[in-house]
């Protein structure tokens, strides 16, 4: 019985992370990346609410990227819906992301590969490459944290086939209490990998033994511009009519620093840059997508700048020499001086008082 449960858990992890999907690149893979492109996260406390409504992002600048096939980044094969806009922000505690990409509305409840899907990838190990998702040369049956040391990348994958628009998914009490990066409710999962074939939920590894200190630190939601109202529940599925033109919106947040001690989460630091990328899946021509059939915003890492508070906001106003205490002291001195003049004047006009010797008293 225990063996059956262990096998079931292993299969669930494989299916949930897409590890069974093939990942074969074009024969002549080449990359012409724009290494000068940055995504900047400015300090904006108290501005972003994760609800799928993106009006709170309108005054935050973003970067627009052509979305090319990840395994064959040819401009002639770009996603025909247009570019993806990536925005970021932080409040000193959490980092926030918003993705916007045009696409006709499509939703099939329970079928993630018939709906839009997105993923983030962040560098963890100093040797982790964008190419081959970390670039460790080991095979699935030989990759370990020791043999692939320095090649870890952090992944978050959101397949919306189980997610209600506008609702929050990701880390939750049930999955986090079991010590893994799963999300049984909306499939916004937290993973790590060393290469495309060695991917695991946070807390798991090649041996499928769970380290109970892991958890899913991400929160996220999604929306489409064709949706006419909020407050959806599962019975409202599919939430809108198919093939309506518009744009998808995805919002995410995560603490800048996590409690990770397994080298499975990227850690963000204010004032420093991190390496990242974004992937997008879409059922082109109504055909379900497959795991390696995704688009990407670049064929190499993009820099994410977690910016400190701007100098305009941190500048301490210089105190004037005429502050309240100084003004009060000056006023008190003037009043005292006036009183002394008045008293002196009164005394000078007073008649002389005769001296009376003590012997005459």
């Amino acid at each position: 019985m225990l063996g059956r449960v262990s096998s079931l858990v292993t299969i669930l992890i494989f299916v949930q992370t897409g590890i069974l999907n093939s990942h074969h690149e074009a024969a002549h893979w080449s990359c012409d990346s724009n290494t000068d492109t940055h995504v900047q996260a400015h300090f904006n406390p108290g501005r972003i609410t994760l609800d799928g409504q993106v009006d709170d992002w309108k005054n935050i600048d973003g970067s627009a990227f052509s979305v090319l096939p990840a395994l064959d980044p040819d401009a002639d094969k770009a996603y025909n819906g247009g570019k993806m806009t990536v925005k970021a922000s932080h409040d000193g505690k959490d980092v926030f992301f918003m993705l916007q990409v045009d696409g006709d509305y499509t939703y099939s409840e329970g079928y993630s590969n018939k709906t839009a899907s997105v993923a983030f990838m962040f560098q963890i190990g100093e040797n982790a490459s964008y190419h081959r998702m970390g670039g460790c040369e080991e095979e699935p049956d030989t990759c370990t944290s020791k043999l692939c040391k320095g090649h870890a990348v952090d992944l978050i994958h959101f397949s919306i086939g189980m997610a209600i628009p506008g609702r929050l998914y990701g880390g939750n009490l049930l999955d986090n209490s079991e010590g893994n990066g799963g999300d049984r409710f909306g499939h916004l999962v937290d993973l790590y990998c060393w290469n495309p074939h060695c991917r695991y939920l946070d807390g798991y590894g090649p041996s499928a033994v769970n380290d109970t200190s892991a958890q899913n630190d991400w929160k996220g939601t999604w929306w489409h511009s064709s949706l006419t109202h909020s407050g959806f529940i599962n019975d409202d599925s599919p939430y809108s009519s198919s093939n309506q033109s518009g744009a998808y919106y995805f919002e995410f947040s995560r603490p800048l620093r996590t409690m990770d001690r397994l080298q499975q989460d990227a850690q963000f630091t204010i004032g420093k840059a991190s390496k990242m990328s974004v992937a997008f899946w879409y059922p082109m021509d109504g055909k379900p997508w497959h795991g390696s059939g995704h688009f990407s915003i670049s064929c190499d890492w993009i820099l994410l700048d977690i910016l400190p508070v701007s100098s305009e906001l941190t500048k301490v106003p210089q105190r004037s020499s005429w502050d309240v205490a100084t003004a009060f002291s000056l006023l008190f001195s003037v009043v005292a001086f006036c009183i002394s003049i008045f008293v002196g004047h009164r005394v000078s006009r007073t008649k002389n008082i005769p001296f009376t010797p003590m012997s005459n008293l």
Side-chain angles (χ1 to χ4, degrees), residues 79-81 101-107 114-116 224-226 241-248 280 282-283:
Y79 171 63
N80 59 18
V101 59
D102 289 345
D104 292 346
Y105 184 76
T106 175
Y107 188 87
K114 294 182 179 180
T115 62
H224 191 270
S225 58
S226 68
S241 301
S242 296
N243 301 319
Q244 291 196 65
S245 61
Y248 285 94
F280 176 63
Y282 188 79

Side-chain angles (χ1 to χ4, degrees), residues 42-45 47 90 307-317:
H42 289 270
F43 179 67
N44 291 292
R47 173 172 290 189
H90 78 92
L307 299 178
V309 181
S310 64
S311 58
E312 289 79 8
L313 293 178
T314 57
K315 186 176 181 180
V316 178

Side-chain angles (χ1 to χ4, degrees), residues 8 13 34 92 135 162 185 228 265 276 298:
L8 180 60
I13 296 169
N34 184 359
M162 296 170 56
F185 302 106
T228 58
D265 287 341
M276 65 169 287
S298 177

Side-chain angles (χ1 to χ4, degrees), residues 42-165:
H42 289 270
F43 179 67
N44 291 292
R47 173 172 290 189
I48 305 301
T49 301
L50 298 186
D51 56 3
Q53 312 299 313
V54 295
D55 288 344
D56 44 4
W57 288 91
K58 64 182 180 180
N59 292 323
I60 297 177
D61 294 332
S63 301
F65 299 92
S66 296
V67 190
L68 306 178
L71 304 187
D72 185 13
D74 188 337
D76 294 335
K77 301 176 182 178
Y79 171 63
N80 59 18
K83 294 185 176 184
M84 173 183 282
T85 298
V86 181
K87 295 186 177 184
S89 181
H90 78 92
D91 62 3
K93 178 177 178 291
D94 295 327
V95 61
F96 302 86
F97 297 94
M98 192 278 286
L99 309 178
Q100 176 182 340
V101 59
D102 289 345
D104 292 346
Y105 184 76
T106 175
Y107 188 87
S108 297
E109 183 179 352
Y111 295 92
S112 292
N113 61 354
K114 294 182 179 180
T115 62
S117 179
V118 293
F120 285 89
M121 181 168 72
F122 302 93
Q123 185 188 56
I124 300 177
E126 61 183 11
N127 299 322
S129 61
Y130 166 87
H131 186 49
R132 299 193 71 247
M133 299 172 67
C136 180
E137 297 296 334
E138 298 297 321
E139 297 296 327
D141 57 345
T142 61
C143 58
T144 64
S145 59
K146 183 176 181 179
L147 293 177
C148 292
K149 185 176 181 179
H151 290 276
V153 297
D154 189 8
L155 301 172
I156 166 184
H157 187 205
F158 190 19
S159 295
I160 65 174
M162 296 170 56
I164 301 171

Side-chain angles (χ1 to χ4, degrees), residues 35 37-41 122-123 257 266-276 301-308:
T35 56
T37 304
H38 291 233
V39 173
Q40 294 188 326
F122 302 93
Q123 185 188 56
R257 313 290 290 185
Q267 304 297 333
F268 306 120
T269 301
I270 297 173
K272 293 186 178 181
S274 300
K275 294 180 178 180
M276 65 169 287
W301 293 118
I302 295 294
L303 290 179
L304 167 67
D305 298 322
I306 309 294
L307 299 178

Side-chain angles (χ1 to χ4, degrees), residues 170-320:
N172 60 81
L173 182 61
L174 291 178
D175 290 298
N176 282 346
S177 67
E178 296 179 2
N180 64 68
D183 175 16
R184 69 189 67 188
F185 302 106
H187 196 85
L188 198 167
V189 293
D190 193 358
L191 314 99
Y192 71 100
C193 75
W194 301 303
N195 65 43
H197 307 289
C198 298
R199 276 180 291 171
Y200 310 96
L201 286 173
D202 281 12
Y204 285 96
S207 64
V209 176
N210 185 13
D211 186 305
T212 56
S213 69
Q215 62 180 357
N216 187 343
D217 294 290
W218 286 91
K219 305 291 184 185
T221 187
W222 72 278
W223 195 258
H224 191 270
S225 58
S226 68
L227 303 175
T228 58
H229 64 89
S230 59
F232 288 113
I233 60 174
N234 192 67
D235 291 341
D236 296 322
S237 178
Y239 314 111
S240 184
S241 301
S242 296
N243 301 319
Q244 291 196 65
S245 61
Y248 285 94
Y249 303 98
F250 301 89
E251 289 185 289
F252 302 94
S253 72
R254 201 211 77 172
L256 292 168
R257 313 290 290 185
T258 72
M259 299 287 287
D260 169 52
R261 60 180 184 83
L262 304 173
Q263 196 73 348
Q264 296 174 359
D265 287 341
Q267 304 297 333
F268 306 120
T269 301
I270 297 173
K272 293 186 178 181
S274 300
K275 294 180 178 180
M276 65 169 287
S277 188
V278 180
F280 176 63
W281 289 258
Y282 188 79
M284 302 298 294
D285 302 320
K287 299 177 182 178
W289 52 259
H290 57 90
S292 60
H294 56 291
F295 300 90
S296 179
I297 63 172
S298 177
C299 58
D300 205 344
W301 293 118
I302 295 294
L303 290 179
L304 167 67
D305 298 322
I306 309 294
L307 299 178
V309 181
S310 64
S311 58
E312 289 79 8
L313 293 178
T314 57
K315 186 176 181 180
V316 178
Q318 301 202 353
R319 297 177 61 87
S320 171

